[in-house]
Amino acid sequence: DTGVSQDPRHKITKRGQNVTFRCDPISEHNRLYWYRQTLGQGPEFLTYFQNEAQLEKSRLLSDRFSAERPKGSFSTLEIQRTEQGDSAMYLCASSPPAGGLAGELFFGEGSRLTVL
Amino acid sequence: AQKITQTQPGMFVQEKEAVTLDCTYDTSDPSYGLFWYKQPSSGEMIFLIYQGSYDQQNATEGRYSLNFQKARKSANLVISASQLGDSAMYFCAIRGTGGFKTIFGAGTRLFVKA
């Protein structure tokens, strides 16, 4: 089991450009989450997928953000027209179907975005 | 809605001593789960321990134990026999009845001194 994989690990972009992050969850996990973490803060929930269905989206996720999980396996998070305030670590996590309240999240190593 | 409050931005502990990291929570859900995660400087979040709101006993996992006081809405993490490798950020988190959204606190940075 290779764990949750995120790509790229680091991305530097200029303001106004679009960026896309990819997350490959643990293979048998049907739940997938995206979080954003800024320096010195805890992860902030962005969105959640169960299989291919996006079941919740945070108000933090403006219209410039979109996430997909087309076949219920990997997921992408796209940020359009990036702003300097988007600079953060974007964390992906997955959990197995039977977890319920008790199921812990398995996190990837994150994708760090720097917007110049 | 759920909320986690961690009031200790930083904590110091001598190696081999025990340390308590504070966590209080707020939720209107009748059942919920409480978690602690560790984030070393490498960045990857690591699950440490879980406590269910209806669990009668405090959770323990090796050197980690959770001091759960439901009436006070607190879920403090106790690390016994601290090691240098315990130096990291520690996050308390809660998941409510909906069962999928986990909310994290701002974290406590722990420094273990040799």
Side-chain angles (χ1 to χ4, degrees), chain A residues 3-4 26 29 92-96 103-108, chain B residues 37 44-45:
Chain A
V4 178
I26 295 171
H29 289 187
C92 178
S94 68
S95 65
E104 75 266 27
L105 300 179
F106 294 78
F107 281 87
Chain B
Y37 288 82
E44 188 168 352
M45 298 279 283

Side-chain angles (χ1 to χ4, degrees), chain A:
Chain A
D1 189 353
T2 58
V4 178
S5 176
Q6 293 189 244
D7 183 71
R9 295 288 312 282
H10 303 273
K11 179 73 176 178
I12 300 173
T13 191
K14 293 183 179 179
R15 188 166 50 118
Q17 298 295 305
N18 299 345
V19 296
T20 299
F21 301 113
R22 176 181 170 124
C23 172
D24 287 89
I26 295 171
S27 56
E28 63 269 23
H29 289 187
N30 69 333
R31 301 180 181 193
L32 187 145
Y33 312 77
W34 285 99
Y35 283 83
R36 180 173 67 187
Q37 187 178 24
T38 52
L39 201 61
Q41 297 299 312
E44 296 174 292
F45 173 81
L46 292 179
T47 191
Y48 160 73
F49 290 87
Q50 184 163 305
N51 300 311
E52 66 275 9
Q54 187 175 21
L55 296 187
E56 185 164 346
K57 192 174 162 179
S58 166
R59 285 172 293 177
L60 291 173
L61 223 60
S62 75
D63 291 344
R64 297 184 297 106
F65 289 70
S66 62
E68 293 182 343
R69 194 182 182 198
K71 295 182 180 178
S73 56
F74 73 92
S75 175
T76 58
L77 176 69
E78 181 184 16
I79 309 173
Q80 296 182 327
R81 304 181 304 281
T82 52
E83 302 173 355
Q84 288 182 326
D86 298 332
S87 295
M89 177 76 84
Y90 291 85
L91 296 170
C92 178
S94 68
S95 65
L101 265 181
E104 75 266 27
L105 300 179
F106 294 78
F107 281 87
E109 294 180 306
S111 292
R112 181 169 296 284
L113 174 64
T114 302
V115 182
L116 302 175

Side-chain angles (χ1 to χ4, degrees), chain B residues 7 20 34 80:
Chain B
T7 57
T20 297
L34 294 155
S80 63

